[in-house]
Amino acid sequence: MVYLGLYDIIIRDSEGGDETAGTSSNASFWRIAAASSLTGALAWVASYPFDTVKSVVQGSDRRMSSIEAAAQIRREGGGWRAFYRGCGTSTWRAMLVTSSRMVVYEAVRDLLSNE
């Protein structure tokens, strides 16, 4: 999970690099939401071309390798930009999902650690 490592780096560096100031237990709701949204967007943009190839392979009516699928996407889709077609909408979704997930995770973790 790429976004967990990125999230940790972003949340720790959001307070100027202090080891304890950037920990998620000291972070505000908005800092957690912003850091996790950024993390979700970065992770999804990086993995989107692989997801596009996977979708073509799974949707094919014949057996196809990933290389064949990538060549088909590039040939029929109009070049390298075809690998990112629809990425904007999916990135917004990833931002909302990751932000929701991490805000709830941090809230539950803080609740359980206070008991």
Side-chain angles (χ1 to χ4, degrees):
M1 300 276 222
V2 172
Y3 62 80
L4 293 176
L6 284 173
Y7 172 76
D8 189 52
I9 291 168
I10 291 170
I11 202 76
R12 287 182 188 280
D13 287 347
S14 66
E15 280 292 317
D18 183 14
E19 273 304 305
T20 59
T23 59
S24 54
S25 61
N26 295 332
S28 70
F29 168 83
W30 293 111
R31 236 177 61 214
I32 293 169
S36 56
S37 291
L38 178 61
T39 299
L42 291 172
W44 191 248
V45 166
S47 64
Y48 196 79
F50 299 104
D51 191 61
T52 303
V53 170
K54 175 195 63 102
S55 296
V56 169
V57 169
Q58 289 177 340
S60 176
D61 56 351
R62 65 178 180 85
R63 194 163 172 86
M64 174 187 294
S65 73
S66 297
I67 294 173
E68 290 173 317
Q72 178 182 338
I73 293 167
R74 187 168 178 249
R75 183 178 56 250
E76 296 174 4
W80 295 106
R81 293 178 65 178
F83 288 97
Y84 283 97
R85 185 168 291 131
C87 185
T89 305
S90 295
T91 301
W92 280 108
R93 180 200 56 81
M95 289 171 68
L96 291 171
V97 168
T98 306
S99 180
S100 303
R101 181 182 303 143
M102 294 310 291
V103 166
V104 169
Y105 168 77
E106 295 291 354
V108 169
R109 192 182 77 166
D110 287 345
L111 182 72
L112 292 175
S113 68
N114 290 336
E115 289 183 7

